[in-house]
Amino acid sequence: MNLGIFELFGKKKAQASGVFSLRAEVHPYSLKANTNDFVELEIKLENTSDAPQLTSIVVSVPPGLGFERSAISKQREVRLGFLKPGEVKFFKVPLWGTQRTPNGEYPLKIYALAHFNDYAHVLNEVRKVLHFRVD
């Protein structure tokens, strides 16, 4: 007797780890206050799942910092396409301060998103918050 129909509803092994391994750091480690200068946010992302993932990275910064010299843009999305299992992507994003950037600690929010079929539908995400210093 074949019980194949009941195997549809049976237990399946869940994935042991997350979808991504996300590492990020800023070089140099701080920025001078009230100057037009930039640092580079270095991001290393690895697909730790056993399936290809349609992937994007979203970086969000608070007021006072930005992604271009005028620091108007507060969010940047980088679309990476499909990452194969075990594939690693490394890239840099410039973070700018302006003459209006005061001293303080700024949270940098980084999201690695796995999408379903297109970039409009999010399947899974990994978040990281870096605390960045402006002296």
Side-chain angles (χ1 to χ4, degrees):
M1 184 171 167
N2 188 353
L3 298 177
I5 186 75
F6 295 112
E7 291 175 4
L8 273 174
F9 306 108
K11 295 181 183 177
K12 295 188 169 90
K13 186 174 178 175
Q15 193 169 337
S17 63
V19 177
F20 299 114
S21 170
L22 176 65
R23 296 183 188 271
E25 45 185 55
V26 179
H27 291 286
Y29 293 114
S30 66
L31 192 64
K32 290 191 179 203
N34 304 314
T35 59
N36 250 358
D37 201 5
F38 74 97
V39 295
E40 289 185 334
L41 174 62
E42 297 180 352
I43 299 173
K44 181 180 175 186
L45 182 69
E46 180 182 1
N47 179 359
T48 57
S49 73
D50 54 358
Q53 300 290 333
L54 182 60
T55 307
S56 69
I57 295 280
V58 175
V59 181
S60 172
V61 296
L65 298 175
F67 296 104
E68 70 284 325
R69 186 176 286 271
S70 61
I72 292 174
S73 175
K74 303 296 178 210
Q75 187 169 337
R76 171 164 290 175
E77 179 184 20
V78 179
R79 293 181 176 181
L80 301 173
F82 279 95
L83 283 175
K84 298 174 188 161
E87 185 176 358
V88 177
K89 289 280 187 176
F90 177 81
F91 57 95
K92 297 177 182 181
V93 177
L95 296 177
W96 284 85
T98 67
Q99 292 92 358
R100 298 178 315 269
T101 304
N103 292 348
E105 190 172 291
Y106 293 82
L108 309 176
K109 297 176 183 175
I110 305 163
Y111 304 91
L113 305 170
H115 297 275
F116 180 72
N117 289 339
D118 59 11
Y119 288 106
H121 300 90
V122 176
L123 185 62
N124 209 334
E125 78 176 34
V126 173
R127 290 180 243 170
K128 185 172 193 81
V129 177
L130 287 180
H131 295 282
F132 177 65
R133 190 91 189 118
V134 175
D135 297 322

